[in-house]
Amino acid sequence: QVRLVESGGGLVQPGGSLRLSCAVSNRAYNMLTTGWYRQAPGKEREYLARISSGGATDYADSVKGRFTISRDNDKSTVYLQMNSLRPEDTAVYYCSFGIGGRQVWGQGTQVTVSS
């Protein structure tokens, strides 16, 4: 059994930064390709970025150049550094990976960008 636990969300002013963390509860799964997603009220869940076990990354156009995904396999944690935040980045942020054909999701962490 494995759980993903997101943390690091909060309230930030426009132009500010936050770093989200995604902790994997079982080290046996800490090398999987892991993605970050978000869901704003009334909108569908949106893909943001992913990182492979070897560190290869991919980003959605909406966050490219502002967000950076990284991982520390020794800490079983994947990070999302978010800079130049905008009000439209307000959402619940989730991390996820796939195991045996099913997608595992964390509980999410709220990010609110507002002055």
Side-chain angles (χ1 to χ4, degrees), residues 34-111:
T34 304
W36 280 99
Y37 302 76
R38 68 185 178 191
Q39 188 165 20
K43 295 187 176 182
E44 293 187 354
R45 193 165 294 187
E46 174 190 13
Y47 162 76
L48 301 176
R50 66 174 176 262
I51 186 166
S52 73
S53 60
T57 59
D58 178 76
Y59 296 92
D61 288 343
S62 60
V63 303
K64 197 173 295 183
R66 297 191 300 128
F67 292 8
T68 302
I69 191 170
S70 63
R71 68 190 307 152
D72 184 334
N73 291 330
D74 289 339
K75 295 182 178 179
S76 300
T77 302
V78 173
Y79 303 98
L80 186 68
Q81 177 68 42
M82 306 187 296
N83 298 327
S84 303
L85 284 164
R86 307 164 180 167
E88 55 264 39
D89 293 318
T90 295
V92 179
Y93 284 68
Y94 301 89
C95 59
S96 179
F97 56 47
I99 300 175
R102 69 181 182 93
Q103 205 69 14
V104 177
W105 296 92
Q107 83 290 347
T109 185
Q110 175 72 45
V111 171

